[in-house]
Amino acid sequence: MTIAVIGLGSIGNRHACNLLQAGESVVGFDPDPDRRALFEKAGGQTQCERDVALDVAEAAIICSPNICHLPDLQAALERGCHALVEKPLSHTMTGLQDVLRMADSRSLIVAAAMNLRFHPVVQRVHEILSSGEMGTVIWGRFLYSGYLPSWRPHQDYRKGYTTAPVGGGVLFDLVHEIDLAQYLMGFGTVSACVARRSGVIETGAEDCADLIIMHPGGAQSSVHLDYVSKHSQRFFEIQCENGFIRGDLVKRSLIIIPSDEDSAAGEECFEGSFSDDYIAEMKGFLQAIRGEGGQICSSSDAAKILETVIKARKQAGLVST
């Protein structure tokens, strides 16, 4: 199997190199010759045109800017390629269902790259909540707080698509936390969202947002996202009928405090890093397209998450996509 990686920026290069290390045949495309050269130095092959790369592939990893995801996905499907699309699935719902119906009609798998679903803390909490042992879920809190200029110090963050008014901003770019809330607590609806440009960094899109989601059974969650905090944090908390759960995604630790005062709190720590989660995500996609099972974030789930983001943006009064 030959796999085309469309977009060789930071995440595209990561996925492409992971595929090479797994022994897969990879062809990369990026309009930037410097990015193509970087992947070639890593041992990969590249093409100067997207469609040429897709023509020789059986599967595609779409890692282009958000506003290019949908046309790139359509081009991959038209050539019979299964596809893993970096988050978010698109920046608009317009035309998305038509493209996904094309995939279904051709028996092609479309998955979204929601790598936090492969984090061992998340997987353990999903298992616990699915078992029902914690009882009714009452509320949750999901937080990502970081400082965009420090993500890639060698690049000018102001020139990246993450700061663009259309397709950028924390609601699109930090969609992982929104996915976690829906994945762990059940798909619900946005009841409120506020988002703004704080002025702390230079950006054309929102750099700080908070939203409230109402989940099945009456549970509610809050999601906080920001690009402006130099003290980085990434964690979630869920209060259940039978106890309290706190997962720290950076420390890879899980604390469970039972409601029963006679029971002691338990803590689990997991080995590995985010790099391992990306590898697990890619392994799941490859297994899925080879008919070997494999965990993926389905296109159906990804479309629901995108719809959540777009509704949140609308409630916050952000520019239409």
Side-chain angles (χ1 to χ4, degrees):
M1 182 181 296
T2 298
I3 302 169
V5 177
I6 307 303
L8 294 170
S10 176
I11 189 61
N13 191 65
R14 178 193 288 269
H15 286 317
C17 288
N18 283 343
L19 286 165
L20 285 180
Q21 292 172 8
E24 303 294 341
S25 174
V26 183
V27 56
F29 162 75
D30 196 289
D32 186 336
D34 291 336
R35 290 179 176 176
R36 295 198 303 270
L38 184 64
F39 182 51
E40 289 168 0
K41 287 182 180 179
Q45 300 179 15
T46 64
Q47 291 288 348
C48 299
E49 297 181 19
R50 180 199 67 180
D51 291 350
V52 175
L54 291 173
D55 283 339
V56 299
E58 287 81 39
I61 315 297
I62 308 298
C63 304
S64 49
N66 296 343
I67 60 173
C68 299
H69 284 184
L70 193 54
D72 287 344
L73 173 60
Q74 181 172 347
L77 296 175
E78 288 173 346
R79 288 160 177 80
C81 293
H82 301 286
L84 174 66
V85 185
E86 257 306 324
K87 54 79 185 171
L89 194 57
S90 176
H91 74 296
T92 177
M93 295 298 295
T94 303
L96 177 61
Q97 292 303 327
D98 289 339
V99 172
L100 296 183
R101 279 192 288 269
M102 180 200 304
D104 289 341
S105 68
R106 301 185 180 198
S107 300
L108 296 171
I109 290 174
V110 174
M114 297 292 187
N115 66 292
L116 289 187
R117 292 193 181 200
F118 297 84
H119 193 296
V121 170
V122 173
Q123 292 184 326
R124 178 68 178 127
V125 172
H126 189 266
E127 176 187 339
I128 291 170
L129 294 178
S130 296
S131 74
E133 64 185 270
M134 295 297 288
T136 302
V137 176
I138 303 170
W139 61 260
R141 181 162 73 113
F142 300 80
L143 181 144
Y144 175 89
S145 186
Y147 191 59
L148 180 61
S150 68
W151 283 12
R152 303 177 188 96
H154 59 289
Q155 298 178 5
D156 185 346
Y157 75 92
R158 295 167 296 185
K159 297 180 180 179
Y161 66 86
T162 57
T163 62
V166 176
V170 293
L171 287 167
F172 277 132
D173 199 39
L174 301 178
V175 68
H176 290 296
E177 270 58 37
I178 298 173
D179 176 57
L180 283 191
Q182 303 276 50
Y183 179 59
L184 293 176
M185 296 181 60
F187 284 92
T189 59
V190 178
S191 63
C193 180
V194 292
R196 68 187 180 105
R197 288 183 289 170
S198 68
V200 174
I201 62 173
E202 297 180 53
T203 175
E206 81 281 359
D207 57 25
C208 190
D210 289 272
L211 59 154
I212 302 295
I213 302 174
M214 299 304 298
H215 300 272
Q220 66 198 54
S221 68
S222 63
V223 182
H224 172 82
L225 310 168
D226 79 71
Y227 282 151
V228 298
S229 301
K230 293 185 179 180
H231 175 60
S232 180
Q233 300 181 80
R234 194 167 211 173
F235 66 85
F236 63 89
E237 298 173 331
I238 300 176
Q239 179 66 58
C240 301
E241 179 184 8
N242 297 331
F244 176 77
I245 297 170
R246 190 180 198 278
D248 190 310
L249 300 177
V250 177
K251 295 180 180 178
R252 300 175 85 80
S253 65
L254 172 62
I255 296 173
I256 299 179
I257 303 175
S259 296
D260 181 1
E261 295 181 356
D262 295 330
S263 300
E267 181 173 5
E268 294 182 65
C269 293
F270 299 85
E271 296 182 353
S273 67
F274 286 114
S275 295
D276 298 308
D277 306 335
Y278 283 113
I279 292 172
E281 175 184 62
M282 189 59 67
K283 180 179 179 181
F285 174 66
L286 294 176
Q287 289 175 331
I289 64 178
R290 287 172 173 151
E292 301 169 358
Q295 178 187 352
I296 59 171
C297 175
S298 69
S299 60
S300 175
D301 278 8
K304 292 176 185 176
I305 296 301
L306 176 61
E307 187 174 16
T308 300
V309 172
I310 290 174
K311 287 182 177 179
R313 288 177 58 84
K314 183 177 181 180
Q315 291 206 12
L318 298 176
V319 62
S320 172
T321 58

